[in-house]
Amino acid sequence: MGADEKSKGVCVQAAPPRKRVLILGGGFAGMYAALHLERQLGKRDDVEVTLVSRDNFFLFTPMLHEVAASDLNATAIVISLRKLLPRLTFVEGDVSGLDLESKRVTVAHGGLDGHSHTLEYDYVVLAMGSETNFFGKPGPRDYTLTMKTLGDAMLLRNCLVDRLEEADADCVTTGARNAIVTFVVVGGGFAGVETAGAINDFIHGALPFYPNIQHSNVRVMLVHGGQEVLPELGEDLGAYTRKKLIEHGIEVRTGVHVKDVTEAGVELPDGTVVPTKTVVWTAGVTPPSLLSTLPCEKERGRLKVNERMEVPGFPGVWALGDCASVPDLTNGGKPCPPTAQHALRQGLTVARNVCAALKGQPGKAFRYKMLGQLAAIGQRSGVARILGLKFSGTFAWVLWRTVYLFKLPRLETKVRVAMGWTLDLLFRKDVVQFIGPRELDQLTLPSLPLNSRQQVRQVQALQPGAQH
């Protein structure tokens, strides 16, 4: 207060504190919530919205298998969160602690040698996604690759090229060569089927460059514990998918639960061991372990929320996406499936509810009826169920590409993907290996703790020299 104001008795009131909105997670749910809040609140001075994510980019996960198969450049399916959300605050790091009582979040960043600090909030949106579920088995955890991150897709692609280079050597015997180019995918859901198809396409498309490897040497196997692959699409489309995968040369085993994975290969329930050096685990996901420490009601490990995605007992806390059990009001209140189309719409609804809470108004319930689901199954074939109608074959594959191209955020991302697909149609597979054998051995060392291995994989796989 200045001297003149004091002499006149003028009272200058301090500006009210800014409301702090924190979004934890940069996947479909978190990013779309942030995108809507940026449009609604980005220009306001009384509200600060902060997005916390372990990556500084949004990853379009439905196209991960295309990066692994060299159909797309890795940078084509990601976009900078800072570019996408220029008017929000962004913090890159892992959420290592969450205190709902004191409204504080601990964020660790800076890699393996980093540090942590605390963020306080008035409102928080929990969109922390999920982790690969190894069902408590150390073998799958230590000896398999996963398909959850961009680093995973890059690592798998480099492993495939490394196996081809190793198997093509003149000193390799036929038996050893067959084991080297045997690839096993565990899990027959969308990720598993699309990954198996992508591996099969990439390997056979690359064989003309490896004269010592014959098509008969290659073995691609899909192991699924259910009675039919792609159970989400129904028995008929699942049976069609299995038939087409077999026609493409993929060995499909349904009703089989993997007993263990060792350095020697995959052990099946009947005692058979499939010799292989490459196993991709897509058998399921589980909520982040941090959620187990929260004093909230849970359903199969996921945070149980009401129809407005509010966490009961904690005002100003919402949970959505894979980490939450959101009731599906269009399906009798059963939990919504963990799909991208649900997550992004949940993000939009939560953003509107946050805006309503800032005005002191009640939020609205989440209501969305699934339009359909699609899957690419290799060799330019696909399956789809849209509004109850079933499609298969090349038309379904074109439909898959059209729908997901439309769903990509921002025009520049659409253009990059469209250009990548055009180049893939015109030229043969790229077999450049960006990560050498020594680096690959370090990235897959089972002696490293799981979290450290995942961090090392992502950091090294995404070095500038590893981009393509």
Side-chain angles (χ1 to χ4, degrees), residues 316-338:
V317 179
W318 294 266
L320 66 161
D322 290 1
C323 74
S325 179
V326 180
D328 186 350
L329 300 183
T330 68
N331 192 25
K334 297 179 181 179
C336 292

Side-chain angles (χ1 to χ4, degrees), residues 193-242:
V193 167
E194 291 180 331
T195 300
I199 291 174
N200 193 60
D201 285 358
F202 178 80
I203 294 297
H204 288 286
L207 285 189
F209 304 107
Y210 297 90
N212 292 329
I213 308 174
Q214 306 302 315
H215 289 277
S216 58
N217 298 129
V218 177
R219 185 183 186 188
V220 180
M221 178 187 294
L222 177 64
V223 182
H224 180 54
Q227 294 306 308
E228 197 57 89
V229 298
L230 295 181
E232 301 89 344
L233 291 180
E235 185 176 346
D236 46 357
L237 285 179
Y240 171 86
T241 300
R242 176 168 48 85

Side-chain angles (χ1 to χ4, degrees), residues 162-181 212-213 217 277:
D162 184 65
R163 301 297 181 258
L164 291 172
E165 296 292 345
E166 182 181 358
D168 192 61
D170 293 330
C171 58
V172 177
T173 63
T174 301
R177 178 175 290 116
N178 291 346
I180 293 170
V181 289
N212 292 329
I213 308 174
N217 298 129
K277 298 178 67 175

Side-chain angles (χ1 to χ4, degrees), residues 16-95:
R18 302 176 75 186
K19 292 294 184 180
R20 297 159 299 183
V21 179
L22 207 56
I23 303 171
L24 306 183
F28 275 93
M31 192 280 287
Y32 276 92
L35 194 62
H36 187 76
L37 287 174
E38 196 237 11
R39 292 169 180 169
Q40 298 298 316
L41 307 175
K43 295 182 179 179
R44 288 176 54 171
D45 295 329
D46 59 332
V47 181
E48 180 183 25
V49 182
T50 301
L51 174 65
V52 179
S53 174
R54 67 163 55 99
D55 300 310
N56 77 338
F57 55 80
F58 168 70
L59 170 65
F60 198 78
T61 51
M63 293 182 179
L64 266 182
H65 67 278
E66 298 218 323
V67 173
S70 197
D71 294 337
L72 287 175
N73 187 304
T75 57
I77 64 170
V78 297
I79 185 167
S80 167
L81 288 171
R82 294 183 183 274
K83 180 186 291 187
L84 199 58
L85 306 164
R87 292 178 292 186
L88 297 191
T89 302
F90 175 73
V91 176
E92 184 182 43
D94 287 295
V95 177

